[in-house]
Structure formats: C-alpha cells, structure tokens
Amino acid sequence: MPVLHKYKDKEKYYVLTSISGKIVTFQLTGEGHEKLLKSGIKNEERFGRALLFDLYRTGDAFTHGAGPGKVEGVDKRQLLFDFPDDPEPESIFPSCSVCNSINDLHLVEVKDKEHFAGIYCSDCRKIRSSTINTSIPLPLINRGLLSRVLEMNNIQKTDKSLTEYRKLLDTEFVNRWEEIAKTKSVKKSINQNRLFESEDDQGSLL
C-alpha cells in the first residue's frame, strides 16, 4: 500500500509505494496533498493504490526518479515493511513499453520500422529520440485526447503498455457514467416519492 510521507527540510509531501519489487517515490503537488487530507489521509498513513493512481492521472502525483531525501520520523531501514497487500494490483500503474520503468512516462508516436504509439520513460525517450515524432506527458492524456492523437497522426497500432492504459481509461470512463446514471436514478426515485407523498397529502385534505 502507498504511504504518505513528509520531507523533513520543507513543507512538502511525497508517497512511497512498492511496484514490481522496487520502492517508488511519487512527488505530490500541493493540490495532491490537499486531496489526500480531504480524504482523511495523514502523514505516515497508508492508503489505497487506486487513490494514488487517481492522483497520478490528474498530474497531482508524479515521478522523476528522485529519492525521498530527508524524511521526518521515518527509519529508512523500515520502509520495506510499510507495504502490506493492497487490493488493487500493481498493474494499475502504466509502465514503459521498453524497460517497465514508471519514471516520467510520456505517450510517444514512434516512426521506425513500424508506425505505432506507446509509453516510454525518460531514459528510453533519450535512447530512441531519433524515432520519436510526438511526445506528450502521460498525466495530460485523457480518453478523448488519446483518441484524437491516434486519429490525427493516423496511428493504427498501439503497443501493450498503451493498450492496457487505454483499457484503464475506458473502464474509468464507463464507471464514471454508471455512477452518474445511478445518482440520477436515485434523485428521480426521491422526486417520485415526494410527488406521491404530496398527492397523498392533497387527498387527505379533500
């Protein structure tokens, strides 16, 4: 499970989690920390991986390969024990199509022997820069923008990492609309009940 931590030497927070057996540091924006606070998450507390992924998608949690720095009240030798089983799989986070890193991921259009779109980390973008035509930070990519990029650049093929990430975006989109539909259904039911109650009140007056 991800754990919220505070820098000792500054009023900023970060999150540590374990992905593929490695400890990964996610930096937080001020808004990202506020979202965690509003969710009841305090310093040194664990929280669900799905919540961290939501912060990642909005750009409020990001990776640049930086270490944790000076950590207040945390013994670095104990960090490995902060990660019990999480109901959300590690695969919820996208990774580089080439090396599986999650550091500074971008959506890239690759024009080499094949023309395709994928997800590359910063190191792999540098190594393969001559074959990359388009590069967009992954947290900026939503379902609609991804579709437009693929259509505008006439990209017919996506690699495995991007295909899986697109499925996550599609699932999130469907779940959001299902939640809206449920909310509207509940409101409609409440309004109908109020209408029936009002009619009953009128009948009693007559």
Side-chain angles (χ1 to χ4, degrees), residues 29-90:
T29 64
E31 289 184 1
H33 180 232
E34 283 296 320
K35 289 178 181 179
L36 288 178
L37 284 179
K38 289 179 180 178
S39 299
I41 309 301
K42 299 178 182 179
N43 188 34
E44 304 290 323
E45 287 189 351
R46 305 180 182 95
F47 58 96
R49 194 175 281 128
L51 183 55
L52 178 59
F53 176 67
D54 191 56
L55 293 175
Y56 175 83
R57 284 194 311 102
T58 60
D60 289 314
F62 54 94
T63 59
H64 285 311
K70 297 179 181 179
V71 186
E72 181 178 24
V74 176
D75 186 344
K76 292 183 181 181
R77 293 172 298 179
Q78 299 298 319
L79 291 178
L80 289 173
F81 301 103
D82 283 343
F83 309 112
D85 291 338
D86 191 303
E88 294 291 341
E90 293 181 1

Side-chain angles (χ1 to χ4, degrees), residues 53-54 56-58 91-92 94 107 119 137-147 150 161-177:
F53 176 67
D54 191 56
Y56 175 83
R57 284 194 311 102
T58 60
S91 58
I92 192 173
L107 165 69
I119 297 175
L138 198 60
L140 298 181
I141 298 296
N142 56 35
R143 185 172 176 270
L145 180 57
L146 176 56
S147 296
L150 296 178
S161 290
L162 183 55
T163 298
E164 292 302 316
Y165 189 63
R166 194 175 190 182
K167 288 180 181 178
L168 284 173
L169 293 179
D170 288 341
T171 299
E172 192 271 341
F173 176 81
V174 171
N175 289 342
R176 183 167 66 247
W177 280 99

Side-chain angles (χ1 to χ4, degrees), residues 105-158:
L105 299 177
H106 280 215
L107 165 69
V108 295
E109 175 193 9
V110 180
K111 285 190 173 182
D112 198 2
K113 295 179 181 179
E114 291 184 290
H115 182 209
F116 64 93
I119 297 175
Y120 282 8
C121 69
S122 56
D123 290 338
C124 290
R125 290 198 306 275
K126 291 177 183 177
I127 295 172
R128 294 165 173 76
S129 60
S130 62
T131 65
I132 296 175
N133 192 49
T134 302
S135 181
I136 305 172
L138 198 60
L140 298 181
I141 298 296
N142 56 35
R143 185 172 176 270
L145 180 57
L146 176 56
S147 296
R148 287 195 293 274
V149 169
L150 296 178
E151 182 178 355
M152 289 173 60
N153 294 319
N154 194 28
I155 302 173
Q156 304 296 325
K157 182 180 178 180
T158 59

